[in-house]
Amino acid sequence: MFKSDKYYIIVSNSSFIIIKDGGNIETVIELQSFIPNVPAYHHLYDTDKKDYIDEIKRQIKKLKIKDAIIIMPDDAIELEVDKRMLIEFFLQFGVKKAQVNFQCYYMNLDNKKYISISKTCRMIVLQYISYNKTFIKKYYDKNYIDIEQIKKDINNVQDDNMMYSILPIYINNINNDMEEIKDIGDLVSLDEFVVNIMKNEIK
């Protein structure tokens, strides 16, 4: 039976980065942010932005996506409305199967337990990831730059099996906006992120 190619839709702070199975970036669809601190994808249903939204739809339709994994920013993990918003948007274009995952789970594939730090238009998110699940989350204002406090918070993240181990720290830099905290851990670029997605799918 014919199997549709899988597409990975990375939701960055200002674009959809759409990758076809195999690791090739098919297209980058730029998104506009019209209100500060509101994700750009929240405007995909605005009735007063018809021309803007029609152009985004035109670019998506060209790809003929049938099977999609939408990889969302980490601040949406607990926001069911954001997940539904994007799934329903892409289902308009002939997508038969759409599921959601989150960027924090693609920071590293070699370590099963690590700290993930990411920054969205709304906030900074610090998480303890263990075997592709989030167990501890801490949220900061998006402009928070108290590096010493973030380090203290990281040191306080522990469970019974971590008492004598040091967790690796991965910083989501797909938006190229995390240089100011690069000394805390390892920056993960967009290219590295894409490689991790592909490796994860062939495991």
Side-chain angles (χ1 to χ4, degrees):
M1 181 180 292
F2 176 76
K3 183 179 179 182
S4 298
D5 291 321
K6 185 173 289 185
Y7 285 77
Y8 305 90
I9 303 167
I10 302 170
V11 184
S12 81
N13 287 348
S14 60
S15 65
F16 292 138
I17 303 165
I18 302 178
I19 304 163
K20 188 176 180 180
D21 202 4
N24 297 316
I25 294 181
E26 291 289 323
T27 190
V28 176
I29 300 176
E30 300 295 338
L31 304 175
Q32 294 183 43
S33 181
F34 296 93
I35 302 174
N37 305 323
V38 173
Y41 59 83
H42 277 217
H43 297 288
L44 294 173
Y45 294 92
D46 288 1
T47 56
D48 63 339
K49 300 177 177 63
K50 185 177 184 303
D51 291 343
Y52 163 70
I53 295 170
D54 283 349
E55 174 57 23
I56 292 172
K57 290 180 176 180
R58 184 192 67 78
Q59 294 181 64
I60 295 172
K61 286 177 182 177
K62 283 174 55 179
L63 297 174
K64 295 180 169 58
I65 300 171
K66 300 296 182 185
D67 186 356
I69 296 179
I70 304 167
I71 305 176
M72 296 186 65
D74 298 331
D75 63 353
I77 282 182
E78 297 180 305
L79 300 177
E80 191 64 32
V81 65
D82 281 37
K83 302 172 197 175
R84 291 185 181 182
M85 182 185 299
L86 282 177
I87 287 175
E88 290 177 11
F89 182 76
F90 281 99
L91 287 178
Q92 299 177 62
F93 310 111
V95 176
K96 303 299 183 185
K97 180 181 177 183
Q99 56 185 308
V100 165
N101 208 340
F102 293 92
Q103 294 172 13
C104 57
Y105 302 129
Y106 295 98
M107 289 296 96
N108 186 270
L109 301 182
D110 296 325
N111 293 293
K112 301 302 181 184
K113 296 184 178 185
Y114 56 88
I115 299 292
S116 167
I117 303 175
S118 61
K119 182 178 182 179
T120 73
C121 71
R122 293 184 284 206
M123 65 189 74
I124 294 173
V125 187
L126 185 153
Q127 298 179 92
Y128 163 41
I129 308 299
S130 179
Y131 292 88
N132 289 317
K133 292 183 179 179
T134 299
F135 286 93
I136 299 172
K137 289 186 287 292
K138 186 169 180 63
Y139 300 110
Y140 306 88
D141 182 271
K142 70 172 186 175
N143 297 313
Y144 191 80
I145 55 172
D146 189 338
I147 303 301
E148 292 308 312
Q149 183 58 52
I150 294 175
K151 288 180 179 179
K152 289 178 182 177
D153 293 338
I154 291 171
N155 289 335
N156 289 333
V157 174
Q158 61 181 15
D159 65 16
D160 292 341
N161 298 318
M162 293 162 45
M163 294 294 287
Y164 302 105
S165 64
I166 299 175
L167 287 174
I169 301 165
Y170 299 105
I171 301 169
N172 184 338
N173 198 40
I174 69 170
N175 295 296
N176 293 314
D177 58 357
M178 298 296 271
E179 284 290 327
E180 62 188 1
I181 65 168
K182 65 181 180 180
D183 293 338
I184 293 179
D186 297 326
L187 291 178
V188 179
S189 68
L190 176 59
D191 288 344
E192 293 170 307
F193 189 77
V194 171
V195 169
N196 289 343
I197 291 172
M198 295 301 112
K199 285 183 177 178
N200 186 68
E201 294 304 313
I202 63 175
K203 283 170 60 178

